[in-house]
């Protein structure tokens, strides 16, 4: 007697009717695509959120170095893979982090907008006239005595120089560069009154960049820098720079984590391969993101004292000390010394250097 068969939708091979899973590929035979199933498949396939996550998360938070040690020993199915755990927790962290970043960026834009010199309540017609007069005089040959006398007369009639003595004005007139500090608390390193005037009359960009100090034959990076500087001067969109800085952090972390593992490799040269140190780094960075996620989450619910935030942040160094002792099994004092050196190199050298690079990148491409 022939038994009924059906065809698997995934591998297109036949199997007996009544099987819950295909014996060839393992897919469920009644895989109706519902919203719940779609969500479950996405989570399980990309983040592997199952019982292993909870079996891994509790030891991660309460047993420093335990997960890494078990993984190196070969217990790799009982707990979540270190890269998967890091991926999931980092996604949660940056999701929560985005809310606080947006608020901080708005505050930056609001505060910097107050320094905008171009606003009608902070710039007068007389100031524009004075600045335009100075623009013409600055382009005149400095060695010409008549030009110097005219410049001196113009300066003495400008509000910026009314409190200066005649000898002080003479030294300014005879100098190669005339720089007037702005009233907004920000020092851009160029004549802001002249810049306001050039912008007000829609002067050519080359003339504006020259006034800012750009060389006659700039390279790509120099030209890009002045383009961004002029953009920032006009808009004071510091929040946009900050937002771009924070947006690059997830990418930067993929470089910082291997660097941290390399530092561990240097201090624990005979304690396993580089991959072993990388496993430790995945779990430690997962812990860091988990702690910072907790801090952000708690502050979103209620504003906890800053002292408690700092206590949790500093406790990550103590966690590192215990984790290194557990994972590498060296003496306490030696582990303490190595923890200090690892923390010093990473926190006071690698992180500031990375922050500087990211800040430059954010300013150049915001």
């Amino acid at each position: 007697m022939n038994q009924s068969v059906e065809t698997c939708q995934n591998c297109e091979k036949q199997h007996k009717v009544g099987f819950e899973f295909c014996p060839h590929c393992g897919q469920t035979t009644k895989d109706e695509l519902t919203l719940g199933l779609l969500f479950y498949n996405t989570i399980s396939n990309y983040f592997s959120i199952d019982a292993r996550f909870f079996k891994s998360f509790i030891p991660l938070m309460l047993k420093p170095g335990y997960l890494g040690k078990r993984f190196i020993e070969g217990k790799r199915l009982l707990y979540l893979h270190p890269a998967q755990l890091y991926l999931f927790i980092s996604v949660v962290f940056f999701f929560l982090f985005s809310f606080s970043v947006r608020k901080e960026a708005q505050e930056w834009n609001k505060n910097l907008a107050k320094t905008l010199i171009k606003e009608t309540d902070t710039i007068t017609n007389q100031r524009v006239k004075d600045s335009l007069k100075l623009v013409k005089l600055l382009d005149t040959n400095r060695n010409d005595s008549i030009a110097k006398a005219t410049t001196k007369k113009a300066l003495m009639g400008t509000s910026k120089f009314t409190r200066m003595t005649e000898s002080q004005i003479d030294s300014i007139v005879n100098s190669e560069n005339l720089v007037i500090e702005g009233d907004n608390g920000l020092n851009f390193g160029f004549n802001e009154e002249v810049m306001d005037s050039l912008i007000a009359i829609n002067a050519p960009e080359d003339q504006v960049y020259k006034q800012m100090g750009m060389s006659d034959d700039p390279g790509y990076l120099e030209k890009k820098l002045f383009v961004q500087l002029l953009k920032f001067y006009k808009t004071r969109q510091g929040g946009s720079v900050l937002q771009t800085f924070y947006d690059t952090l997830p990418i930067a972390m993929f470089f910082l984590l291997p660097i941290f593992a390399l530092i561990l490799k240097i201090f624990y040269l005979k304690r396993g391969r580089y991959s072993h140190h990388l496993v430790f780094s995945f779990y430690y960075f997962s812990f860091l993101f988990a702690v910072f996620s907790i801090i952000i989450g708690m502050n979103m619910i209620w504003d906890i004292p800053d002292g408690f935030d700092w206590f949790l942040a500093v406790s990550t160094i103590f966690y590192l000390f215990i984790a290194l002792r557990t994972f590498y099994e060296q003496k306490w004092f030696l582990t303490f010394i190595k923890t200090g050196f690892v923390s010093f190199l990473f926190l006071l050298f690698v992180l500031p250097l990375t922050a500087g690079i990211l800040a430059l990148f954010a300013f150049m491409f915001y």
Side-chain angles (χ1 to χ4, degrees), residues 138-155:
L138 287 171
D139 291 335
T140 307
N141 187 349
R142 288 286 187 178
N143 295 324
D144 186 83
S145 58
I146 298 178
K148 290 183 179 180
T150 306
T151 303
K152 176 179 177 180
K153 183 179 180 180
L155 291 177

Side-chain angles (χ1 to χ4, degrees), residues 74-102:
K75 296 179 175 59
R76 300 174 185 175
L77 292 180
L78 183 61
Y79 304 105
L80 199 61
H81 191 280
Q84 293 175 320
L85 184 64
Y86 168 80
L87 177 61
F88 176 76
I89 296 180
S90 64
V91 168
V92 173
F93 166 75
F94 284 110
F95 174 75
L96 296 174
F97 187 61
S98 63
F99 292 98
S100 60
V101 167
R102 188 181 303 111

Side-chain angles (χ1 to χ4, degrees), residues 29 46 77 160 172 180 188 204 206 247 277 321 338 349 359:
T29 57
Y46 291 97
L77 292 180
K160 282 282 181 180
I172 294 175
I180 305 175
F188 287 92
D206 291 341
D247 288 343
H277 308 295
F321 169 59
K338 290 187 176 183
F349 180 74

Side-chain angles (χ1 to χ4, degrees), residues 268 321 325 330-340:
Y268 293 95
F321 169 59
R325 171 66 177 82
Q330 287 190 338
K331 294 183 178 179
W332 287 100
F333 180 75
L334 184 59
T335 301
F336 176 79
I337 297 298
K338 290 187 176 183
T339 302

Side-chain angles (χ1 to χ4, degrees), residues 87-363:
L87 177 61
F88 176 76
I89 296 180
S90 64
V91 168
V92 173
F93 166 75
F94 284 110
F95 174 75
L96 296 174
F97 187 61
S98 63
F99 292 98
S100 60
V101 167
R102 188 181 303 111
K103 181 179 179 180
E104 187 175 355
Q106 292 173 351
E107 288 294 327
W108 271 48
N109 286 336
K110 181 179 178 181
N111 293 332
L112 288 175
K114 297 177 182 178
T115 69
L116 205 54
I117 306 177
K118 304 192 303 299
E119 293 176 346
T120 56
D121 59 340
T122 59
I123 181 170
T124 63
N125 291 331
Q126 183 60 41
R127 181 177 174 182
V128 174
K129 293 178 181 178
D130 291 341
S131 300
L132 289 174
K133 188 186 299 183
L134 293 178
V135 172
K136 296 178 181 179
L137 295 175
L138 287 171
D139 291 335
T140 307
N141 187 349
R142 288 286 187 178
N143 295 324
D144 186 83
S145 58
I146 298 178
K148 290 183 179 180
T150 306
T151 303
K152 176 179 177 180
K153 183 179 180 180
L155 291 177
M156 294 180 68
T158 304
S159 60
K160 282 282 181 180
F161 300 91
T162 54
R163 296 183 180 180
M164 289 188 178
T165 63
E166 185 173 349
S167 60
Q168 289 175 323
I169 294 179
D170 285 335
S171 64
I172 294 175
V173 172
N174 292 319
S175 64
E176 292 296 326
N177 298 305
L178 180 61
V179 178
I180 305 175
E181 294 182 356
D183 296 328
N184 61 342
L186 295 176
N187 187 3
F188 287 92
F190 50 76
N191 190 326
E192 296 182 32
E193 290 191 346
V194 175
M195 282 293 298
D196 291 338
S197 303
L198 292 175
I199 294 173
I201 63 175
N202 294 322
E205 289 186 351
D206 291 341
Q207 186 177 356
V208 176
Y209 294 142
K210 183 178 180 180
Q211 175 60 32
M212 294 171 65
M214 189 175 70
S215 61
D216 295 332
D217 187 22
Y220 171 78
L221 291 179
E222 182 183 359
K223 181 66 178 292
K224 179 67 175 178
L225 178 63
F226 278 94
V227 169
Q228 293 299 98
L229 182 60
L230 179 60
K231 178 181 177 182
F232 180 81
Y233 181 79
K234 288 181 177 180
T235 63
R236 300 295 203 277
Q237 292 295 311
S240 300
V241 180
L242 183 66
Q243 183 68 54
T244 305
F245 175 85
Y246 286 141
D247 288 343
T248 57
L249 285 180
I251 301 175
M253 295 307 302
F254 281 99
F255 295 95
L256 288 176
L257 193 149
I259 293 176
F260 184 80
L262 180 61
I263 296 176
L264 293 179
K265 177 63 177 177
I266 295 174
F267 283 94
Y268 293 95
L269 193 59
K270 298 180 180 180
R271 293 281 177 163
R273 302 176 180 178
Y274 176 75
S275 59
H276 293 185
H277 308 295
L278 198 58
V279 167
F280 179 89
S281 301
F282 271 122
Y283 281 124
Y284 180 62
F285 274 65
S286 298
F287 169 77
L288 291 178
F289 282 135
V291 170
F292 294 142
S293 297
I294 293 173
I295 293 176
I296 295 175
M298 293 175 63
N299 280 281
M300 290 175 64
I301 300 174
W302 68 85
D303 188 15
I304 62 177
D306 293 339
F308 185 72
D309 290 342
W310 281 105
F311 171 77
L312 291 178
V314 173
S315 67
T316 59
I317 304 297
F318 180 76
Y319 180 97
L320 176 62
F321 169 59
I322 302 298
L324 291 175
R325 171 66 177 82
T326 302
F327 187 80
Y328 294 105
E329 296 182 341
Q330 287 190 338
K331 294 183 178 179
W332 287 100
F333 180 75
L334 184 59
T335 301
F336 176 79
I337 297 298
K338 290 187 176 183
T339 302
F341 277 107
V342 169
S343 302
F344 175 81
L345 287 176
F346 192 76
L347 295 177
L348 299 182
F349 180 74
V350 176
L351 280 186
L353 179 61
T354 303
I357 295 175
L358 291 183
L360 178 61
F361 178 86
F363 182 78

